Amino acid sequence: MAMTSSRPYMLRAIYDWIVDNNCTPHILVVANAPGVEVPQQYVNKDGQIVLNIAPGAVAQLLMDQHRVSFSARFGGVPMSLSVPVGAILGIYA
């Protein structure tokens, strides 16, 4: 029997720990990975983007086995973002 990936569980646990400690969670994302939907004008020269996913910065945050999705504003413009878990390089405060 194959086990599911622990990656989504660890992502959610670290997110909760960061928020519980009154810090701001950020995720580092490979912006050109398949299935990534982020504002390309904010992607750095290395093809990465750092996203603030704090409860006060996003709406409709969903973290499931496959992806992290939410709504956020960039330059005052509301956007829907979607990031496959495999495209997330890290989460930090």
Side-chain angles (χ1 to χ4, degrees):
M1 176 180 180
M3 294 181 68
T4 59
S5 172
S6 64
R7 193 177 181 113
Y9 296 96
M10 296 301 293
L11 183 66
R12 183 61 186 204
I14 295 170
Y15 171 85
D16 287 342
W17 176 74
I18 291 170
V19 171
D20 287 350
N21 283 280
N22 297 314
C23 293
T24 303
H26 293 84
I27 54 174
L28 176 62
V29 175
V30 177
N32 59 358
V36 172
E37 298 172 20
V38 297
Q40 293 298 311
Q41 64 268 36
Y42 295 98
V43 173
N44 68 23
K45 64 180 171 45
D46 296 323
Q48 301 173 344
I49 186 169
V50 175
L51 300 169
N52 174 350
I53 57 170
V58 301
Q60 301 166 334
L61 178 65
L62 175 65
M63 299 174 87
D64 66 21
Q65 289 298 105
H66 307 286
R67 65 183 50 256
V68 174
S69 61
F70 56 93
S71 297
R73 291 183 173 272
F74 289 84
V77 178
M79 302 186 77
S80 294
L81 288 80
S82 181
V83 180
V85 171
I88 299 172
L89 296 176
I91 181 169
Y92 60 92

